[in-house]
Amino acid sequence: MADRLSPTSYVVLGTIALRGPSTSYDLKRAVGRSIGYFWHFPHAQLYSEPQRLADLGLLEAETEEGGRRRRTFRLTDAGRDELRAWLAEPTPEHFQMRDIAELKLFFNEVGDPGDVTRLAREQVAAHRERIAVYEEMQERYASLDAVAKRMITLRLGLEMEHAALRFWSSLL
């Protein structure tokens, strides 16, 4: 089944596995406060993907009888098995970084001479800001056993932000 699922599919399965039954809106909010810091994709996918996964039998959906008729999605045994199989697979792909600033830096000789300096200043400010957000998250959640395993990802994010800050600072 893994060949039919996208990374977004696994974001949906994993998020529901961690937080329990969720509506698409719940998924959007949860992802925005967690995975969204390091895995970017159109949030509209969080509204369409759960139904596709339900059609595959990986989630089950329950629609409210009245009111807004929200759909709540729950992980099925097959969905949990698929998520666990994916987590256990080797990941031979090389690290991918899709950074617009890096793309602009690559083509900098086509632009104006001051563009690199402006870009570097913007990036220094942005990475300092992100480091502050991550450090605040680390302070707030570090002592919570319920999220201790997820804090590993935050540590990686901090390392990457510090590396980027060092790089852009050196250009200035």
Side-chain angles (χ1 to χ4, degrees):
M1 170 134 355
D3 59 324
R4 296 189 309 203
L5 298 183
S6 68
T8 302
S9 302
Y10 291 109
V11 167
V12 170
L13 293 174
T15 302
I16 292 174
L18 290 175
R19 73 178 310 276
S22 303
T23 64
S24 292
Y25 179 75
D26 296 333
L27 290 170
K28 182 182 111 137
R29 289 191 61 209
V31 166
R33 293 184 302 218
S34 61
I35 301 161
Y37 284 105
F38 62 89
W39 189 263
H40 302 284
F41 54 89
H43 284 261
Q45 290 177 350
L46 294 174
Y47 285 90
S48 59
E49 191 63 15
Q51 185 57 55
R52 189 176 89 77
L53 295 172
D55 293 344
L56 292 170
L58 303 176
L59 297 175
E60 60 183 32
E62 182 180 315
T63 305
E64 288 179 337
E65 292 295 322
R68 295 170 61 190
R69 300 190 46 81
R70 288 181 292 214
R71 295 183 62 111
T72 300
F73 296 92
R74 288 174 176 71
L75 196 61
T76 63
D77 289 341
R80 186 171 303 281
D81 291 346
E82 176 62 31
L83 180 60
R84 286 182 172 160
W86 176 72
L87 290 169
E89 287 176 2
T91 306
E93 291 88 6
H94 181 70
F95 170 79
Q96 293 182 29
M97 181 170 50
R98 294 181 53 147
D99 180 19
I100 299 295
E102 186 178 6
L103 194 57
K104 287 182 175 185
L105 189 60
F106 182 83
F107 292 111
N108 81 80
E109 63 195 82
V110 179
D112 293 324
D115 288 347
V116 171
T117 303
R118 274 192 299 282
L119 180 63
R121 276 194 194 103
E122 292 167 359
Q123 290 302 303
V124 164
H127 289 290
R128 283 184 177 148
E129 193 174 304
R130 182 58 63 98
I131 287 168
V133 168
Y134 284 0
E135 287 175 343
E136 191 273 327
M137 290 169 72
Q138 194 171 40
E139 245 179 70
R140 188 172 353 136
Y141 298 114
S143 63
L144 299 178
D145 291 339
V147 295
K149 290 183 178 180
R150 282 177 256 162
M151 296 301 286
I152 296 168
T153 308
L154 184 60
R155 281 184 21 221
L156 176 60
L158 267 168
E159 291 292 331
M160 293 171 66
E161 289 297 328
H162 281 291
L165 178 59
R166 282 190 304 275
F167 171 79
W168 289 107
S169 295
S170 74
L171 284 183
L172 286 177

